[in-house]
Amino acid sequence: MTAGAGTVRWGILGPGRIASNVARDWASVTGGELAAVASRSSERARAFAEEFAIPRAYGSYEELLADPQIDAVYVATPHSFHRAHGLAVIAAGKALLMEKSFTATLAGAEDLVAAARAAGTFVMEAMWTRFQPAVVRLRQLIADGAIGEVRNVQAELGVSRPLDPRDRTFALDLGGGTILDLGVYVVSFAHLVLGAPDRVSVSGSLLPTGTDAESAYLLAYEDGRAATLSTSFLAPSPGMARVFGTEGWLELPPRFHHPDRVILHRPDAAGRTSGEPEVFHLPPRGAGYAHEFDEVHDCLARGASESATMPLEASLAVQTILQQAADDLGVELYERE
């Protein structure tokens, strides 16, 4: 493929599972070209490039970052490498889309944000949920007063995942556990609706590998608003999110982090459900990854260094809560070089 005028030329750093999902959905992306992929294994990079018709494959991350024909880099390595790889992308002068969670630790997130702002380089966390059409409509409905004053948010994500110490999901040194894998979704959604909380309470349990098996969060606000959130590798759950207001509530059906509709419920005079809910069917393009890339392309075209929908301050606020969850539960999160 040859990039046309205005086309953003992308490199993928870390051809793992999530990168494969993104590459598989690339036909839904507009204004971007998948131009290169890099792995620490030349063989793995070539196999990924062949599978997804990517022109160039590199056996080191340094080669990708030195490629002058790459405008932006999507980093999809394990959480604990995000700080180091993000700093390398910024130092190379390329735009960065960082797979969630933004980093493994709050200190790592602060380092990354400071570097991005010092360099004036575009950086965004790849929180695709915020760009899903149904979630965009949910925010519009809230802003329009469809449910009155928002008072409470509920969100949960649970899967049944047998313990396998060899799997990244359970590896402490790779950022395993529900906090970074699932907690980032529920916490980011609550932050999107309510903003940063005044107090955070966390409970949960740990696995023999030192990662958390389940986490529950209560985000409290001085004016009485609250968010109740939960994640689990032990108990499967629907993956539902609800936003409750003084005049009704909004529902994102499973799985809420990439929904195809938002449902508006209004109460009757007695405060109970009244009649049929109003359903807004808004499926994403393809599998839903395209929308976050659209945001990057739009920001780069405007010369913006941050996204208004997923700003760096939001990533820092979410990382603050995730760090507290880890600290409270005794999970040792750390960054790798």
Side-chain angles (χ1 to χ4, degrees):
M1 291 180 288
T2 301
T7 299
V8 178
R9 300 167 297 184
W10 285 89
I12 292 179
L13 197 153
R17 178 188 56 82
I18 187 64
S20 294
N21 291 341
V22 168
R24 195 169 292 115
D25 197 38
W26 196 259
S28 301
V29 176
T30 59
E33 174 197 356
L34 272 186
V37 59
S39 171
R40 288 175 297 183
S41 162
S42 296
E43 182 179 354
R44 190 178 183 193
R46 287 195 298 269
F48 191 93
E50 182 177 347
E51 180 179 0
F52 297 108
I54 299 173
R56 299 188 296 285
Y58 294 120
S60 74
Y61 300 146
E62 292 77 13
E63 289 178 276
L64 172 65
L65 297 181
D67 186 342
Q69 296 184 6
I70 294 297
D71 305 307
V73 177
Y74 167 58
V75 172
T77 52
H79 306 301
S80 53
F81 289 100
H82 285 186
R83 174 190 174 275
H85 294 159
L87 290 175
V89 172
I90 293 169
K94 303 182 187 301
L96 168 63
L97 179 62
M98 177 63 76
E99 188 51 62
K100 65 200 119 40
S101 63
F102 193 56
T103 52
T105 67
L106 174 58
E110 291 171 339
D111 288 346
L112 208 53
V113 168
R117 289 175 172 167
T121 302
F122 178 86
V123 174
M124 188 183 90
E125 184 178 1
M127 178 48 71
W128 66 329
T129 301
R130 294 195 176 210
F131 303 100
Q132 302 297 296
V135 176
V136 172
R137 177 60 63 87
L138 175 139
R139 294 187 71 191
Q140 291 171 340
L141 289 167
I142 291 172
D144 292 342
I147 59 170
E149 181 187 2
V150 173
R151 302 301 302 168
N152 190 275
V153 169
Q154 297 177 357
E156 45 76 17
L157 276 177
V159 296
S160 179
R161 188 164 288 173
L163 176 62
D164 180 358
R166 299 167 298 177
D167 191 301
R168 182 210 64 81
T169 302
F170 301 103
L172 190 62
D173 63 333
L174 296 178
T178 78
I179 292 172
L180 299 181
D181 269 20
L182 302 179
V184 66
Y185 282 113
V186 296
V187 171
S188 187
F189 179 73
H191 178 271
L192 178 69
V193 177
L194 296 176
D198 297 298
R199 297 183 307 280
V200 178
S201 300
V202 183
S203 63
S205 64
L206 301 185
L207 292 165
T209 59
T211 61
D212 75 296
E214 56 194 348
S215 301
Y217 307 73
L218 173 61
L219 311 187
Y221 298 76
E222 291 295 344
D223 60 3
R225 293 174 301 144
T228 52
L229 317 170
S230 65
T231 61
S232 181
F233 282 166
L234 301 178
S237 65
M240 182 86 70
R242 294 185 176 96
V243 179
F244 298 92
T246 54
E247 298 175 19
W249 67 95
L250 291 162
E251 180 179 326
L252 290 174
R255 307 277 270 173
F256 83 84
H257 56 303
H258 54 109
D260 62 1
R261 62 198 184 280
V262 57
I263 304 170
L264 171 62
H265 299 265
R266 296 182 188 277
D268 59 19
R272 295 184 293 267
T273 302
S274 176
E276 290 296 318
E278 189 173 358
V279 182
F280 301 87
H281 292 278
L282 295 159
R285 293 204 318 274
Y289 295 101
H291 302 287
E292 63 188 357
F293 286 90
D294 289 349
E295 174 72 1
V296 177
H297 298 162
D298 179 65
C299 289
L300 293 179
R302 293 185 289 105
S305 59
E306 293 189 33
S307 162
T309 303
M310 189 67 237
L312 295 176
E313 281 303 322
S315 293
L316 285 174
V318 170
Q319 206 74 43
T320 298
I321 297 170
L322 300 180
Q323 183 69 62
Q324 180 174 335
D327 293 344
D328 288 356
L329 296 180
V331 177
E332 184 183 1
L333 300 176
Y334 59 95
E335 310 286 352
R336 296 180 62 179
E337 296 300 324

